[in-house]
């Protein structure tokens, strides 16, 4: 039986109600709260992610795909005998599907690039190596030393309430570094930011990719802001973004396939399971086994979000199913309650790394709550 984390909060236990109904506003259609970063509600109380799903059903995807095909052909022609594009990959469901689409459907010659966060699970290692082998993809991986990663892991927890700064920053910086070094201007990601983040819609609010995209969206801090008596600027070289001059010289651009193709991550997951033996892994805090299973600390990342913002991966996944019509909103809240509160895997390992108690861990994150949600402490 999954152990529950011991909080002092007294969230709602009524069926079909959100956990923190007295402290947070919730979308009137799905289960997402106002504490989700960048969350916007319209005059009916419907969140941007739900509105984006409405728009998604009205988009002319055939026309969008034609734009994508033309764009890819243009970059393929310009590439000559160089790689056509860079695909940043982790081995997760999206990146494996990206490799398939770019190579098998569009005939691209991609260079796969991985920033190794140093916490690969056995399932994640298998999925990454297996996809690269079966799809015959050239691959570059960078792995920072573990002693540095551990220092950044703990410092990140205190600085941004998320221990994964080194991963967010590395995933943003390393593909750009390779793009500049190898003179490959086109970088391609998978899911559109419009899908479920609540930060954008498909009309005109899509956050365009630029050099600082991942810093603004996830890392929040630049490398120089992580320097201290133990972490030097030289240590942080792998996390530095190329200069604006280098980005402009190479003509680096980034696109998300989900802005051009109808994105259905569950159908895509079933496809790569069948075609490439991609493997799921069920974990605490996740009621589906296909998201973030390449990192053993992913459930810790999600749990930190839950303590800090009042929702975790259970809410994310349940809300997606509510938008898809697979769950009622009330059923979604029940799933969110069950999974968001579960004690994450490897929490004890992190507590030992940070040399803190579970109560101290909880209090650090609660202190970062915003607005009325701070009263729930």
């Amino acid at each position: 039986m999954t152990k529950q984390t011991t909080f002092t909060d007294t969230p709602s236990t009524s069926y079909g109600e959100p956990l923190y109904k007295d402290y947070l506003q919730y979308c009137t259609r799905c289960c997402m709260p106002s504490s989700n970063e960048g969350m916007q509600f319209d005059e009916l109380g419907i969140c941007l992610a739900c509105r984006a799903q409405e728009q998604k059903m009205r988009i002319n995807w055939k026309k969008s795909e034609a734009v994508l095909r033309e764009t890819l052909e243009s970059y393929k022609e310009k590439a000559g005998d160089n790689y056509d594009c860079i695909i940043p990959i982790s081995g997760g469901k999206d990146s494996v599907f990206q490799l398939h689409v770019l190579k098998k459907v569009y005939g691209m010659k991609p260079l796969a690039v991985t920033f190794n966060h140093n916490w690969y699970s056995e399932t994640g290692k298998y999925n990454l190596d297996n996809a690269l082998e079966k799809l015959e993809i050239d691959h570059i991986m960078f792995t920072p030393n573990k002693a540095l990663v551990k220092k950044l892991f703990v410092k990140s927890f205190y600085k941004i309430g998320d221990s994964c700064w080194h991963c967010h920053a590395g995933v943003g910086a390393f593909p750009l570094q390779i793009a500049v070094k190898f003179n490959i201007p086109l970088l391609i990601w998978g899911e559109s930011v419009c899908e479920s983040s609540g930060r954008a819609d498909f009309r005109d609010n899509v956050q365009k990719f630029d050099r600082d995209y991942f810093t603004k969206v996830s890392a929040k801090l630049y490398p120089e802001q992580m320097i201290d008596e133990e972490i030097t600027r030289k240590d942080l070289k792998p996390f530095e973004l190329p200069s604006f001059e280098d980005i402009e010289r190479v003509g680096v651009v980034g696109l998300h396939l989900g802005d051009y193709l109808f994105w259905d991550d569950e159908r895509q997951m079933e496809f790569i399971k069948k075609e490439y033996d991609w493997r799921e892994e069920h974990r605490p805090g996740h009621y589906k086994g296909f998201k973030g299973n390449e990192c053993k600390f992913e459930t810790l990342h999600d749990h930190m979000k839950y303590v800090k913002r009042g929702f975790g991966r259970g809410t994310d996944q349940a809300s997606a199913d509510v938008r898809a019509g697979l769950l009622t909103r009330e059923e979604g809240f029940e799933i969110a309650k069950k999974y968001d509160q579960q004690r994450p895997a490897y929490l004890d390992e992190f507590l030992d790394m940070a040399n803190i108690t579970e109560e101290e861990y909880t209090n650090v994150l609660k202190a970062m709550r915003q607005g009325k949600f701070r009263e729930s402490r």
Side-chain angles (χ1 to χ4, degrees):
M1 185 174 179
T2 304
K3 196 167 122 184
Q4 300 292 103
T5 303
T6 53
F7 293 152
T8 56
D9 300 291
T10 55
S12 169
T13 56
S14 300
Y15 181 85
E17 288 190 345
L19 275 171
Y20 296 103
K21 66 183 181 68
D22 293 331
Y23 304 101
L24 297 172
Q25 178 184 353
Y26 288 82
C27 174
T28 55
R29 183 171 292 172
C30 72
C31 308
M32 293 304 297
S34 53
S35 54
N36 188 17
E37 185 177 2
M39 180 57 65
Q40 300 175 40
F41 299 106
D42 66 13
E43 63 278 5
L44 298 177
I46 299 172
C47 75
L48 205 55
C50 285
R51 287 299 190 198
Q53 291 305 300
E54 290 180 1
Q55 297 161 11
K56 185 176 176 179
M57 301 305 162
R58 296 178 174 86
I59 291 172
N60 185 335
W61 290 107
K62 185 176 181 179
K63 183 176 179 181
S64 296
E65 190 277 335
V67 173
L68 174 65
R69 186 177 292 273
E70 182 179 350
T71 301
L72 296 179
E73 287 296 327
S74 172
Y75 277 95
K76 189 191 299 186
E77 184 178 342
K78 292 175 186 175
D81 59 1
N82 196 2
Y83 292 99
D84 296 325
C85 63
I86 287 174
I87 305 180
I89 67 167
S90 64
K93 62 175 178 56
D94 288 348
S95 57
V96 174
F97 185 72
Q98 288 162 237
L99 291 178
H100 167 82
V101 168
L102 270 299
K103 181 164 185 180
K104 299 294 188 179
V105 178
Y106 293 104
M108 302 285 279
K109 174 70 172 179
L111 174 63
V113 174
T114 300
F115 180 87
N116 181 1
H117 42 64
N118 241 304
W119 307 125
Y120 261 94
S121 66
E122 289 303 314
T123 301
K125 287 178 186 175
Y126 171 82
N127 284 337
L128 177 61
D129 293 341
N130 180 61
L132 292 168
E133 181 178 344
K134 288 187 175 177
L135 282 157
E136 301 178 357
I137 302 291
D138 294 344
H139 180 231
I140 294 177
M141 175 185 280
F142 176 78
T143 305
N145 77 81
K146 186 158 281 189
L148 174 63
V149 167
K150 286 182 176 180
K151 292 175 186 176
L152 291 171
F153 206 55
V154 174
K155 181 159 189 174
S156 174
F157 166 68
Y158 288 105
K159 294 279 279 187
I160 63 173
D162 174 1
S163 59
C164 300
W165 178 88
H166 78 286
C167 186
H168 300 318
V171 165
F174 185 59
L176 288 175
Q177 293 171 6
I178 296 301
V180 168
K181 290 181 188 298
F182 283 73
N183 197 35
I184 308 170
L186 180 62
L187 286 83
I188 301 177
W189 284 272
E191 184 181 71
S192 171
V193 72
C194 303
E195 280 296 324
S196 58
S197 71
R199 301 178 188 180
D201 62 30
F202 286 102
R203 293 171 301 187
D204 55 5
N205 295 316
V206 178
Q207 183 168 343
K208 300 299 182 184
F209 176 83
D210 59 21
R211 189 195 79 139
D212 302 282
Y213 178 89
F214 281 95
T215 305
K216 292 181 287 190
V217 170
S218 53
K220 305 304 178 188
L221 301 176
Y222 289 94
E224 57 268 25
Q225 295 173 278
M226 299 297 284
I227 295 172
D228 61 22
E229 62 279 0
E230 290 188 312
I231 302 170
T232 68
R233 181 173 287 276
K234 277 193 173 184
D235 289 331
L236 295 169
K237 192 69 177 174
F239 306 93
E240 285 188 3
L241 296 162
S243 68
F244 286 106
E245 291 76 15
D246 282 340
I247 293 291
E248 186 174 352
R249 172 179 58 80
V250 176
V252 174
V253 297
L255 62 84
H256 290 76
L257 291 178
D259 288 330
Y260 300 90
L261 304 175
F262 187 92
W263 203 257
D264 185 335
D265 56 4
E266 295 217 30
R267 188 175 182 185
Q268 291 159 195
M269 180 267 296
E270 293 296 337
F271 171 79
I272 60 173
K273 282 173 66 176
K274 180 180 178 181
E275 292 294 316
Y276 300 110
D277 189 34
W278 188 87
R279 297 177 182 176
E280 294 184 87
E281 181 177 319
H282 290 272
R283 297 162 158 213
H286 297 191
Y287 94 96
K288 298 185 178 184
F290 61 72
K291 184 68 174 176
N293 62 18
E294 64 271 17
C295 175
K296 73 176 191 177
F297 278 113
E298 180 70 19
T299 62
L300 179 70
H301 165 78
D302 297 329
H303 188 261
M304 288 182 180
K305 181 174 76 170
Y306 164 66
V307 182
K308 184 173 66 173
R309 298 187 181 275
F311 75 103
R313 183 76 70 181
T315 296
D316 291 330
Q317 294 177 333
S319 291
D321 278 357
V322 172
R323 294 185 199 110
L326 301 175
L327 295 173
T328 66
R329 184 169 179 261
E330 291 73 23
E331 289 169 336
F333 280 131
E334 289 307 297
I335 287 173
K337 285 179 193 175
K338 177 180 178 180
Y339 288 94
D340 284 353
Q341 298 180 88
Q342 289 178 348
R343 194 175 195 271
Y346 303 103
L347 174 57
D348 290 330
E349 185 174 332
F350 175 76
L351 297 177
D352 289 342
M353 209 181 301
N355 193 27
I356 58 175
T357 65
E358 189 167 341
E359 182 179 7
E360 289 170 328
Y361 159 87
T362 302
N363 288 338
V364 167
L365 295 168
K366 284 184 175 180
M368 297 183 184
R369 292 178 175 179
Q370 301 293 317
K372 190 178 180 182
F373 190 40
R374 291 181 66 90
E375 299 174 16
S376 66
R377 299 178 62 202

